[in-house]
Amino acid sequence: MQTSTNKSTKEQITEILEFILKNWYYFLIGFGICGIIGIIHLKTATPIWNVRAQVGLRHDESLVGGNISKASSLMSSFGFSSGSVNIEDETLKLSSQGNFRKLVENFGLNTEYVQLKYLGLSKTKLYENQPILLKVDPHMADTLRTKIEFSLNISPEVTKINMKAGKKEIGTFELSSFPE
């Protein structure tokens, strides 16, 4: 003979709460460990940026005769494509790889100045007050497959610069004075 106990939802909730209160330290330890792992991940993970832009393009009516332009705008308002070829051409020009490359070069978006502290767990980004300005030939930046890291160890006598591509060390340089 099988007995089944039908408990109300109130009784089930009280049993769950009693279980949680009895073992509260396990939950506290679990939240603490997850919090520490989350903070370490946020500090060490490479940020990935997603940038969107919206550009409004107008059809120039002076290029086409007045009556034809008015007719084409009327047709386009009903969903018929009449003058959308120019807009599609402009959209392709804006989204071309050459335009994005010029944008990255002009604004220096491919260079980041960071000061690492506490074994790399703390990163301070140096936007306006970077101690050194690194300029790379734009044609060289197009041929790189991985990021290149420059590490500077500055002392009063000599400044040592280490270059790494990925995890492989490319070169080491010593400088006695700046600019170099």
Side-chain angles (χ1 to χ4, degrees), residues 49-119:
W49 299 93
N50 185 10
V51 179
R52 290 183 182 211
Q54 192 171 19
V55 178
L57 299 173
R58 291 186 302 154
H59 183 65
D60 193 7
E61 292 183 11
S62 65
L63 296 175
V64 183
N67 293 334
I68 298 173
S69 176
K70 289 177 185 175
S72 67
S73 65
L74 181 64
M75 288 177 61
S76 65
S77 66
F78 287 115
F80 299 113
S81 64
S82 60
S84 65
V85 175
N86 291 337
I87 294 175
E88 288 175 8
D89 289 343
E90 293 298 322
T91 305
L92 288 174
K93 287 179 190 175
L94 283 173
S95 63
S96 69
Q97 187 176 6
N99 280 342
F100 284 118
R101 183 176 292 125
K102 287 179 189 175
L103 178 81
V104 168
E105 288 173 7
N106 289 341
F107 290 111
L109 299 175
N110 57 348
T111 305
E112 181 180 35
Y113 296 95
V114 177
Q115 181 180 12
L116 300 176
K117 293 181 183 177
Y118 308 115
L119 299 173

Side-chain angles (χ1 to χ4, degrees), residues 3-18:
T3 60
S4 64
T5 57
N6 292 333
K7 296 180 183 178
S8 68
T9 57
K10 185 177 179 182
E11 291 174 346
Q12 290 176 354
I13 290 174
T14 55
E15 283 182 9
I16 291 172
L17 288 176
E18 286 175 3

